[in-house]
Amino acid sequence: DVVLTQTPLSSPVTLGQPASMSCRSSQSLVHSDGNTYLSWLHQRPRQPPRLLIYKISNRFSGVPDRFSGSGAGTDFTLRISRVEPEDVGIYFCMQATEFPLTFGGGTKVEI
Amino acid sequence: QVQLVESGGGVVQPRRSLRLSCAASGFTFIDFAMHWFRQAPGKGLEWVALISYDASNKKYGDSVKGRFSISRDDSKNTLYLQMNSLQPDDTAVYYCVRDPETTALGWSGGFAIWGQGTMVIVSS
């Protein structure tokens, strides 16, 4: 199975300041079709996850442009250019390149 | 609007069974594969099962293989998860999730449509 390792586990942030987090895969996430199915989701307490980024760097509809994703192969990064109060919660990376679909352990962002 | 509503969760004793349902609306159900994911209290996310749009292909995570069964009733726009031989480690919020869309640019791979979840507690 693909193991996704997220760092840091917890990230204290300052409102208005940038934040970033990492997701490292145990193997390349490049699919045989040439795409890399690595996405980022955000979860607030007692809520289902919400999709932010898909295929490494594509922002989902309605996601603010302060969120950006980058990376390739096995190393990926999510950046928030200026943290807003609603950005607190847990961020998960997820791979859909192969089954079983797997998630990273999450990075908790707190003010 | 696109909506997934899970039901059927509750408290169940170990080794008993439970069936979860997921009512879909706002999209053409028969066009999409569907998944179940779960999240144990205070833990991360785990993929549980997939059923293809036409039910011809089903896949399961190792932790539930042989015990859980995914199915769908397209006439009712409903997804199911039959859970047998439940164990305390199956305690979790279970989410019904729609497979990502395929557009002219291909399959997106981004799981955007999630239900609110239904809680299953396995305890004696």
Side-chain angles (χ1 to χ4, degrees):
Chain A
D1 297 1
V2 175
V3 176
L4 299 178
T5 302
Q6 287 186 245
T7 56
L9 292 178
S10 177
S11 177
V13 298
T14 302
L15 293 178
Q17 294 299 305
S20 69
M21 59 201 76
S22 170
C23 176
R24 178 164 291 178
S25 175
S26 59
Q27 62 194 67
S28 173
L29 296 183
V30 180
H31 191 274
S32 57
D33 67 6
N35 290 300
T36 299
Y37 296 110
L38 186 283
S39 56
W40 291 92
L41 301 99
H42 175 223
Q43 186 177 35
R44 299 189 184 102
R46 295 171 297 282
Q47 292 291 319
R50 180 176 74 110
L51 177 66
L52 298 175
I53 302 284
Y54 64 94
K55 286 200 288 189
I56 302 177
S57 59
N58 295 272
R59 262 190 310 276
F60 184 64
S61 173
V63 174
D65 61 7
R66 65 178 182 273
F67 291 94
S68 64
S70 63
T74 62
D75 288 290
F76 306 93
T77 301
L78 176 70
R79 290 185 176 87
I80 310 173
S81 60
R82 297 172 308 280
V83 174
E84 300 285 338
E86 60 267 29
D87 299 339
V88 298
I90 303 178
Y91 291 80
F92 294 98
C93 58
M94 173 191 176
Q95 69 81 20
T97 294
E98 67 172 56
F99 284 96
L101 310 183
T102 53
F103 294 84
T107 291
K108 187 174 185 178
V109 169
E110 47 201 353
I111 306 297
Chain B
Q1 74 279 21
V2 175
Q3 196 171 15
L4 299 171
V5 179
E6 302 94 337
S7 60
V11 180
V12 60
Q13 293 179 327
R15 297 178 298 281
R16 301 299 290 266
S17 298
L18 202 62
R19 189 178 80 157
L20 305 182
S21 301
C22 169
S25 60
F27 64 98
T28 305
F29 186 65
I30 59 174
D31 285 349
F32 288 88
M34 297 294 296
H35 302 254
W36 287 99
F37 290 80
R38 69 183 181 182
Q39 186 172 31
K43 302 295 185 183
L45 294 156
E46 180 187 9
W47 171 77
V48 173
L50 153 80
I51 185 167
S52 61
Y53 72 100
D54 61 357
S56 64
N57 187 22
K58 299 177 184 180
K59 294 182 185 292
Y60 299 93
D62 285 344
S63 61
V64 306
K65 205 172 293 183
R67 299 187 299 123
F68 288 14
S69 178
I70 189 171
S71 62
R72 61 192 296 159
D73 185 337
D74 292 340
S75 69
K76 297 180 179 179
N77 285 355
T78 301
L79 175 72
Y80 300 101
L81 185 68
Q82 177 67 42
M83 304 185 294
N84 300 328
S85 302
L86 282 161
Q87 305 163 1
D89 284 353
D90 295 317
T91 294
V93 175
Y94 284 74
Y95 294 105
C96 167
V97 183
R98 195 188 76 178
D99 201 60
E101 283 189 305
T102 298
T103 68
L105 298 178
W107 189 67
S108 74
F111 288 75
I113 307 300
W114 295 66
Q116 286 297 310
T118 186
M119 184 74 202
V120 173
I121 299 173
V122 183
S123 174
S124 53

